[in-house]
Structures are given as C-alpha cells and as structure tokens.
Amino acid sequence: MLEVRAVSKSFGATPVLRSVSLSVARGEFLTILGESGSGKTTLLRIAAGFERPGEGEVWMDGTRIDTLPPNRRPLNTVFQHYALFPHLSVFENVAYGLRASRAPRADIALRVEQALEQVHLTGLDTRKPSQLSGGQQQRVALARALVNHPRVLLLDEPLSALDATMRRRMQGELKALQREIGISFVLVTHDQEEAMALSDRIALLHAGTLEQIDTPAALYRHPRTAYAAEFIGRTNLLRGLVRNHTATAGPFIWPLDSPDGEALFSLRPEHIRFSSAGAPPGAVRFEASVADRLFQGSAVLLTLQCPGGLRLTARVPDPAPPAGAHSFEFTPDDVVRIPVPAG
Amino acid sequence: MTAPLPASRAPRWLTLFAFAVFLFLYAPILTLIVYSFNGSSVGGFPPANWTLHWYRLLASDDALWSAVLNSLAVASAAVVLSLALGLPAALAFDRASFPGKALFRRLVLLPLILPGVITGLSLLMLFATSGLKLSLFTVGLGHGTALISVAATEIYAGLQKMDRRLEEASLDLGATQWRTFWRVTVPSLALPLLAAALLVFTLSMDEIAVSFFLVGRDNTLPLEIWSRLRRGITPEINAISTVVFAFSLAAVLLWYRIRRLGPAESSL
C-alpha cells in the first residue's frame, strides 16, 4: 500500500536517513519508533510531502508519490501539537479538506458530523480550538484528517502533548478507531510502551537506519541488534562467545547450538528468578547479592552483584526476600544471541 | 545572577532627571493643547478665560476640512499600496532563498532611514521625467512607496512568529498553495497586517517632507497647517493640532495593543 523505497535524506552535511525501506500493508497499524534525532519525523514528513527524499522513492498503490505536492497525496496527517487553524471553528477545521476538494454542501455537513461522532466529540461545532482542552483538540485533529477518507493516516507524536492518564485513554481509542475504520495508520513516537500497545508492527529507527521491523512480540523476544534489545524494554547485555556448542558470558556457561564466534547475549530481567527446587533441567544457577531494589508495584527490580564484578538487573514478583546473598537462575532458552556487528 | 538594586539605592537625581526628560518631551504638546482652549487669540501667560471657540471655528473651516479629507485619501492609498507590496516583500524575506537576498532586504528597508527629502526629491524627478502631473495621486504613490519598508518590517515580524505547520496542515488537507495563502496565511497574519496598516496610516497622516515635493494643488493636512503658520499662529492651529494629536495617540496605542496581543494569541 504505502511503500518507502531506499529513502535517504541529509540536511546539509548531516545524514538524517540512510537508505530506509519499509512498506505498510492495508489496514495495518505501523509504528515508527525511535529517539529524538533518529529521523522518524523526517521519514513521516517525506511520506506526507513536506520534505523531498534526497534519494529513493515513495510509492502508494502502484503510483509514485514522492514527486507529488502534499495536497495531491491520498493521505492525511495528524500533526504534533495538532496545528488546528486557530481562526476557524471546530466545524470549519474539520470541513477544511472537504471544502478544498469542493465537496457538495450537504455532503460536508453530514460528513463533518460523522467524523466528529467517530472521535466522540459532538456539540462543540462552534467552539474555537483555543476553547478546547488538549484531549478535545486531539480529537478535532483526528476528525479533520479522517473526514477526507485517506487511505493512510500519518500521526506525528499525536499523544505527546497529553498528560499520562489522557494519553493512555487516547491510546485505547486510537486503536479502536483504527480497527473500526480499517485504514492503515502510520504512527511516529519515541514512547516504546505506546508502540508496543498499539502496533501491528514496529519499525525501529536509530540514527537514520532501520534497525528492525517486526511485530511487537518478535521485536521484544528476538531483537536482532543490541540497540533493539536495549531500547525495547529493559535487558542485560552480556558480552561473550560461542565455541564448540558452548556459550560463555562472564561467569555463565551453557550449551548452545549456534555458530562459533563472538556474541552478545540479551537476558531480560524477568527471566532471572530465585532458584527453586523445581527448576527446569539445564537452568543456569548463580549466587549474587542484592545491591539495590526498585519497587514497581506488582514487581521489584533488583540490581544483582554477581561474582566477578558483573551486575545484572532482575525483575521478581513482590514481595521479594530481604537484601543479602541469594541463589538465582535463568533458563538458557530465554537468552537471545545478538550478532556482533563487524568491526 | 545579579539581583536588581533595591529601589531606595537608586539615586534621587536619576528620578529627577527622568522627570525632566519627560517634561522636555511633552511640555510643548501640553502647551499646544492648553492654548487651544485659550479665550485670547494673542497668547500670553497664564491663558485667559477658557473657550471652545476655536474648535467651533475649526468645524466651519472648509479649507481645513478638505485638507483633512485629502490626507485621509492619501493615507488610505498609502496603506493599500504599502501592504500590497510589503506583504510579498516580507514573504520573500521569510521564505524565499535567492542570490542577493541580503542585499534585496537592505534595499527594501533602506527608505526607513533615508531622509524624506531624498525620497521626495527622487520621486519628484521620476514623476517629472515620466510626465506624471503632481496631484494627491502622486502624494499617495510617494507615501505608499516610502512606507513599504515599514509595512514589510511589521509583516515580517508577524511571519516569523507564525506557526508554519498551519500551512502544512492546509496543504495536507488538499488545499492548493493559493488557497492556503488566502485561507490560512493571511488570516494568521490578520493582526500584523492590521498593525502595519495603522502604523502606515498614522505616519502618512503627518508626513511633510515627501508630501512637500509631490503635492499638486490640493494640500494635505500637515501642509495646510504649515502654510497657515506663515500667516502667524492662531489658536485654531492649536485646536486642529490637538485633534490630530488625539487621533495619532489613539492609533499608536491601538497599534501597540495589537502588537502585544499577537504572541499571546498565537501561542495557543
């Protein structure tokens, strides 16, 4: 449906995107996730037409669109901080696109009302944007884009201006809305929890490069780069090597069917647990003292001081035993090997 | 971190000095206003019995009123001309990038510091060589050109504060560049445009130097006042000046308020 082909972009001498390719399927919720400066917003602006790609092309349903001006692309954008027209009422803001495309008058009133109903915002037609709360402005911005029936909706950090409670609520509504109307959503965010909660797939961008594009579960369970492992959730990265079907990392040794060589291992905090009698066979046991604890509600985050100076983070259910030395373990199957980049 | 000096430590003479400057600035205007209500036409201190006589005389002075109308017509033309040319110039400062842009900008803003005599004289020579007869039309043309720099400066300041994403949103919603300009850019600039119009109008209303070179048979108000002065100061001159002062003051206050309103309105 929407396809980005080998797009690169530099601002002056600074490369912002390096040959990024990705495609969005019909009805898919794709999130472009990255820190500030990762190029995620630039990628969205290239899709919308506010920036031209330095190299590469953007296609949509078999038509090349990177050469078209933004007003002739069959997609709409929900802007960060909304960019509502301050001099127009809620109704006129939503009607803006329909008027620009010269839709019949009767149609406009009907479709604007429908769009406002879709985002649960009725009875405020005559208000000006400055008279609305952040959440209401967000809904107007959504309605203003959706009323034009775009085939793809682009959303640039749409929830970043909202407070935490409102953000969680809008996340739920956004997902429900996307299921209901069934068009593709492309969301840009720096919030990995938001990305995990909403997306069918996540495209993880780092320093202008696409690190990995996968379902949230696959990205979490099988990160392919150290950056992906650390950015999505928390993890312990262990440097080690594999030789003769045996993995070694710090004080740990376990059998592993994997090609020989240097390796990085990702061990999630929730995969480390207190040793018990009923441990599965092959579990790796170790002694460690609890150096620090962070209460998180349902769980406690422990900083473990292991022999040999290694520090690990473990996530164990609350209540956790008191500080001191304890015996811990993990299952080798939970450890993910990440290829060490050449050089 | 430097804490402001406590008020008591500010030397007393500084306060007195500030007061003196204020007096220096406004005593003449105050005198002008007071003597417009003076019953005696000779002057002298203190002013004798208060009267509105000069204002009544003013109301029935046809020559003066036609000068007022002339000035209003010239100022309106100057506003239209300077905005019509100042807006594109400001847009070019803000958005276009072309070789020689810095030079272009300085050249457009030059009339701001150029003496009115130079502007007036050069326009006079231009009109003379092109065979244009001097009239209120040439005065309006002159004011309009001379004040483009003022209009462009005001509008440029507004453009810099404007949220560019509004225009992107308009394009994104399928509007053409042209439609975006009229439906989003211009409404967003409503306050700066109004402020520029007010400022140009006020400056044109009391402009003398350029007008002096370009005027034909019909006088503008400042020229009318000036020509009457040659026959001696009458309290009637004081009266009309007081009225002009009141209107200018109102216009400048309004302009100032609009400028202050600008950023508050746009930072939603």
Side-chain angles (χ1 to χ4, degrees):
Chain A
M1 162 132 245
L2 178 67
E3 216 181 315
V4 173
R5 295 182 187 169
V7 162
S8 299
K9 174 81 183 172
S10 302
F11 290 126
T14 321
V16 185
L17 291 172
R18 301 163 204 255
S19 190
V20 172
S21 296
L22 55 87
S23 67
V24 186
R26 190 173 300 276
E28 183 182 27
F29 199 130
L30 180 86
T31 298
I32 300 169
L33 176 64
E35 300 166 298
S36 58
S38 62
K40 58 187 191 302
T41 295
T42 306
L43 186 56
L44 194 82
R45 289 174 61 80
I46 285 174
F50 305 131
E51 305 282 355
R52 298 206 123 204
E55 279 162 53
E57 299 171 358
V58 183
W59 287 68
M60 187 142 161
D61 289 332
T63 317
R64 187 172 169 188
I65 63 167
D66 59 274
T67 48
L68 297 177
N71 52 326
R72 292 183 46 208
R73 300 190 184 195
L75 32 78
N76 289 112
T77 309
V78 174
F79 289 81
Q80 192 174 14
H81 308 298
Y82 323 129
L84 298 177
F85 305 121
H87 58 290
L88 297 180
S89 66
V90 166
F91 183 93
E92 284 303 325
N93 261 283
V94 178
Y96 193 91
L98 298 176
R99 291 204 198 284
S101 63
R102 311 203 183 284
R105 249 166 209 289
D107 253 28
I108 291 178
L110 197 71
R111 282 171 67 181
V112 169
E113 283 318 308
Q114 273 175 356
L116 285 170
E117 258 167 51
Q118 245 171 3
V119 298
H120 311 295
L121 192 78
T122 45
L124 300 175
D125 292 11
T126 56
R127 297 269 188 96
K128 289 281 173 66
S130 57
Q131 296 168 299
L132 301 179
S133 71
Q136 288 169 332
Q137 291 183 27
Q138 166 71 74
R139 287 162 205 268
V140 176
L142 266 171
R144 183 177 72 171
L146 289 174
V147 76
N148 307 295
H149 300 319
R151 282 181 274 173
V152 175
L153 183 70
L154 308 175
L155 303 106
D156 185 8
E157 304 249 9
L159 308 178
S160 64
L162 302 175
D163 62 61
T165 320
M166 195 64 201
R167 185 157 60 229
R168 231 164 286 136
R169 205 170 126 198
M170 284 305 295
Q171 281 175 6
E173 287 194 25
L174 213 54
K175 185 72 194 165
L177 191 65
Q178 191 261 340
R179 280 210 196 96
E180 182 190 323
I181 54 184
I183 63 170
S184 312
F185 276 31
V186 178
L187 176 91
V188 159
T189 185
H190 64 273
D191 181 343
Q192 50 113 348
E193 274 178 44
E194 187 170 298
M196 300 282 263
L198 294 176
S199 322
D200 295 321
R201 281 192 305 158
I202 297 174
L204 182 64
L205 217 54
H206 173 51
T209 313
L210 187 65
E211 290 274 318
Q212 190 168 352
I213 178 163
D214 243 321
T215 64
L219 199 57
Y220 188 79
R221 290 189 194 128
H222 309 289
R224 282 207 299 268
T225 65
Y227 181 81
E230 285 196 302
F231 191 76
I232 309 287
R234 251 170 187 275
T235 197
N236 299 293
L237 276 184
L238 305 173
R239 191 164 281 281
L241 48 85
V242 181
R243 190 165 295 156
N244 298 328
H245 309 289
T246 306
T248 318
F252 311 123
I253 296 171
W254 67 95
L256 183 66
D257 255 339
S258 185
D260 286 4
E262 277 187 66
L264 270 177
F265 298 103
S266 161
L267 174 59
R268 297 279 182 198
E270 64 269 29
H271 291 143
I272 300 176
R273 54 186 184 268
F274 287 101
S275 303
S276 54
V284 178
R285 281 177 171 244
F286 61 96
E287 299 292 319
S289 60
V290 175
D292 198 9
R293 43 202 297 150
L294 211 75
F295 183 64
Q296 286 194 319
S298 61
V300 184
L301 221 50
L302 303 177
T303 305
L304 306 182
Q305 186 70 55
C306 306
L310 182 71
R311 276 177 168 248
L312 292 178
T313 306
R315 194 167 187 273
V316 297
D318 185 65
H326 293 279
S327 181
F328 295 88
E329 64 182 30
F330 61 86
T331 312
D333 282 353
D334 289 333
V335 181
V336 178
R337 179 180 181 184
I338 294 163
V340 177
Chain B
M1 287 290 281
T2 52
L5 285 174
S8 59
R9 282 198 51 195
R12 180 162 307 208
W13 62 266
L14 202 59
T15 320
L16 282 172
F17 190 72
F19 185 73
V21 169
F22 191 76
L23 205 69
F24 192 71
L25 277 173
Y26 287 100
I29 293 175
L30 197 66
T31 317
L32 180 118
I33 294 171
V34 167
Y35 277 89
S36 74
F37 296 103
N38 190 3
S40 149
S41 62
V42 196
F45 191 82
N49 45 356
W50 303 101
T51 176
L52 286 174
H53 171 71
W54 306 111
Y55 287 88
R56 275 195 287 276
L57 205 66
L58 194 68
S60 57
D61 188 334
D62 289 341
L64 206 59
W65 279 112
S66 76
V68 168
L69 290 181
N70 288 345
S71 267
L72 288 176
V74 165
S76 307
V79 165
V80 171
L81 190 62
S82 64
L83 288 192
L85 296 177
L87 178 57
L91 281 169
F93 296 163
D94 189 41
R95 290 152 190 214
S97 65
F98 49 90
K101 182 178 169 183
L103 185 67
F104 169 73
R105 203 175 150 197
R106 284 196 192 116
L107 286 178
V108 170
L109 297 185
L110 189 62
L112 216 51
I113 48 163
L114 213 58
V117 179
I118 304 290
T119 312
L121 188 62
S122 50
L123 279 167
L124 175 63
M125 291 178 73
L126 175 71
F127 292 150
T129 46
S130 58
L132 208 57
K133 235 180 120 224
L134 294 185
S135 64
L136 286 180
F137 177 73
T138 50
V139 180
L141 218 54
H143 285 191
T145 353
L147 294 171
I148 287 172
S149 47
V150 172
T153 313
E154 281 288 310
I155 298 168
Y156 177 62
L159 273 172
Q160 291 212 302
K161 276 186 272 178
M162 181 183 166
D163 185 357
R164 291 294 290 275
R165 277 172 326 188
L166 294 180
E167 291 171 324
E168 289 183 349
S170 171
L171 291 173
D172 186 73
L173 292 166
T176 56
Q177 294 274 5
W178 182 246
R179 193 182 173 91
T180 299
F181 178 75
W182 287 108
R183 302 283 170 122
V184 174
T185 315
V186 171
S188 302
L189 291 175
L191 287 178
L193 284 170
L194 192 63
L198 263 174
L199 199 59
V200 166
F201 194 88
T202 316
L203 289 174
S204 165
M205 277 303 280
D206 70 5
E207 210 286 331
I208 286 203
V210 174
S211 314
F212 184 78
F213 285 95
L214 301 179
V215 78
R217 272 183 309 133
D218 304 304
N219 258 349
T220 62
L221 183 60
L223 288 182
E224 177 71 24
I225 292 174
W226 184 74
S227 68
R228 283 178 185 218
L229 279 179
R230 285 185 297 191
R231 283 179 266 136
I233 301 176
T234 70
E236 195 190 348
I237 299 281
N238 287 6
I240 182 69
S241 304
T242 303
V243 172
V244 170
F245 173 71
F247 273 103
S248 298
L249 189 66
V252 167
L253 286 178
L254 194 60
W255 169 76
Y256 185 68
R257 266 200 68 83
I258 289 171
R259 279 211 119 183
R260 302 244 328 229
L261 211 62
E265 186 93 328
S266 61
S267 66
L268 286 170

